[in-house]
Amino acid sequence: MTSQTVTTKGPPHVHHMDAPTAYQAAKLGMWLFLATEVLLFGGLFASFALYRYLYLDSYIHASTHLNWKLGALNTAVLLFSSFTAAMAVDAAQHGDNARVRKNLYITIGCGVVFLIVKFFEYKAKYHHGLFPFFSGGSWEAVFGEYRSFFGLYYCMTGLHALHVVIGMAILIWVLRLAQRDRFSPDYYTPVEVGALYWHLVDAIWIYLFPLLYLVG
Amino acid sequence: MSHHNPTSHDAHGDSHGELGHIIPYRIYVTVFITLLALTVITVIVAKSPVFHFSAAWINVFIAILIATVKATLVAMFFMHLKYENRITVLYVFFPLFLLALLIGLLFLDNPFRDNAGRPPIPLKSSAQVAAPAQH
């Protein structure tokens, strides 16, 4: 670690470290947080693996109730949003705040599209009596043989949708900094760290889509 | 922590910025197109009867394999993991190792238990759930 004391050109709050060290430390902190996120979702993936093994036929049948075309559409939307998030970091590395803003608008817009598609998926489930709490009767009566699959489906996609909302909030904060032209090749930590979080949300969906919508 | 020499450029035309690694635009585009192509392949393999295997685990294995290739591409290039130092790579692999341990030990335990007390889920629908269909 570079530890020599230098007068920083960075923003006021990083004066206790030199700029490259502050940048590396912030990134490492986000990677550590992402590690806990992997384990948070990992518990659900482990449950899914075990219950799928125990109730295989039920899972395969329940999976056909999901609309894989909407799932594939949302996969493409999130992949594109990850691309534009990476482009926002690239723009910040070149000190182009206007291009940072443009890419973040697209990324956040993709998040909105993802949530709208997800809303219509949940709405269709509601109309087919496959939505918890509002479809009448107990969990067992509503879901019958599919209760294990749909329990995990709503937990996993619901927790993921919450992460999309949080990711959008982080990117809106980054966008506000870009509106004040705060980023330069010397300082773009918020763009990089915000994008890291957004990419994790994308990476988790990369696993959720085939497991829930395709193979069941 | 590695601090790059700003004058060093490697053979791929990559350059090192003031702080992190700057990757050429075309690499981001190539990765994005590859990710879309792999998504299409995932759907084809899962939906086409040509790739339908009677053993259910083969389809899951293929799906997870392709998803892992996609997640690796996202991590390496979009998240710049390829250019990070060793401690960051350790931070990535350690939770994955713990997750593998969790799933591995679950399957070393549960399938060999006496599951007689576990309530069975009936295969024929006993509730008002319709026949499988696309909605």
Side-chain angles (χ1 to χ4, degrees):
Chain A
M1 196 164 296
T2 51
S3 59
Q4 77 272 25
T5 338
V6 290
T7 319
T8 65
K9 298 177 289 180
H13 61 274
V14 295
H15 269 318
H16 57 287
M17 293 182 204
D18 62 280
T21 307
Y23 167 77
Q24 292 290 348
K27 266 200 306 190
L28 194 60
M30 181 47 94
W31 278 106
L32 179 60
F33 177 68
L34 297 188
T36 71
E37 292 277 47
V38 167
L39 291 175
L40 172 67
F41 278 94
L44 289 167
F45 279 109
S47 306
F48 186 88
L50 184 63
Y51 283 108
R52 184 184 184 278
Y53 165 79
L54 291 175
Y55 305 117
L56 185 62
D57 291 335
S58 162
Y59 269 57
I60 289 173
H61 286 133
S63 171
T64 61
H65 279 269
L66 298 180
N67 188 333
W68 67 267
K69 285 169 189 163
L70 287 182
L73 171 69
N74 258 351
T75 306
V77 168
L78 273 197
L79 288 176
F80 183 63
S81 77
S82 245
F83 169 70
T84 55
M87 292 320 297
V89 177
D90 181 70
Q93 286 176 324
H94 290 94
D96 187 345
N97 280 276
R99 196 154 70 84
V100 174
R101 291 195 290 272
K102 197 176 79 180
N103 280 294
L104 287 182
Y105 281 130
I106 300 171
T107 310
I108 296 164
C110 285
V112 174
V113 171
F114 178 89
L115 290 175
I116 290 172
V117 172
K118 203 74 222 147
F119 169 77
F120 280 108
E121 279 190 75
Y122 282 167
K123 193 163 171 265
K125 292 288 154 297
Y126 172 78
H127 283 301
H128 289 98
L130 285 171
F131 197 82
F133 311 122
F134 298 103
S135 298
S138 68
W139 184 266
E140 283 77 11
V142 169
F143 293 103
E145 59 177 309
Y146 302 143
R147 61 185 181 274
S148 174
F149 178 86
F150 274 103
L152 280 169
Y153 166 77
Y154 283 113
C155 282
M156 292 168 107
T157 59
L159 187 65
H160 180 265
L162 179 68
H163 279 75
V164 172
V165 173
I166 295 170
M168 285 164 65
I170 293 171
L171 292 181
I172 287 169
W173 166 65
V174 177
L175 180 64
R176 288 174 64 86
L177 291 175
Q179 281 165 345
R180 288 179 227 141
D181 292 327
R182 286 288 293 279
F183 302 122
S184 66
D186 298 327
Y187 176 70
Y188 54 88
T189 308
V191 195
E192 173 107 45
V193 168
L196 280 179
Y197 185 85
W198 191 261
H199 294 312
L200 178 92
V201 174
D202 179 35
I204 288 168
W205 184 260
I206 284 173
Y207 283 94
L208 286 181
F209 168 61
L211 288 179
L212 293 174
Y213 291 78
L214 294 177
V215 294
Chain B
M1 218 166 274
S2 68
H3 189 48
H4 300 297
N5 179 359
T7 58
S8 71
H9 292 248
D10 60 37
H12 305 289
D14 296 14
S15 60
H16 304 290
E18 302 273 341
L19 294 173
H21 197 97
I22 295 178
I23 304 176
Y25 183 78
R26 64 171 193 285
I27 289 186
Y28 288 115
V29 176
T30 309
V31 169
F32 172 59
I33 292 169
T34 310
L35 288 169
L36 281 186
L38 287 171
T39 306
V40 172
I41 290 171
T42 308
V43 172
I44 290 174
V45 168
K47 289 290 166 192
S48 165
V50 178
F51 297 98
H52 185 77
F53 301 99
S54 53
W57 68 268
I58 298 178
N59 279 310
V60 180
F61 179 77
I62 293 172
I64 292 175
L65 191 70
I66 297 174
T68 302
V69 172
K70 287 168 72 181
T72 306
L73 282 173
V74 169
M76 292 296 253
F77 296 102
F78 285 179
M79 301 171 90
H80 304 163
L81 188 62
K82 190 172 188 284
Y83 310 97
E84 292 292 354
N85 48 49
R86 279 185 196 162
I87 189 96
T88 310
V89 176
L90 182 72
Y91 276 34
V92 174
F93 277 99
F94 193 61
L96 294 177
F97 166 72
L98 289 178
L99 181 57
L101 206 61
L102 173 65
I103 295 175
L105 290 179
L106 272 177
F107 277 87
L108 275 180
D109 170 55
N110 200 290
F112 302 102
R113 275 172 185 257
D114 174 17
N115 277 318
R118 173 167 57 85
I121 292 185
L123 288 180
K124 291 282 171 244
S125 177
S126 57
Q128 61 269 51
V129 176
Q134 290 292 335
H135 300 305

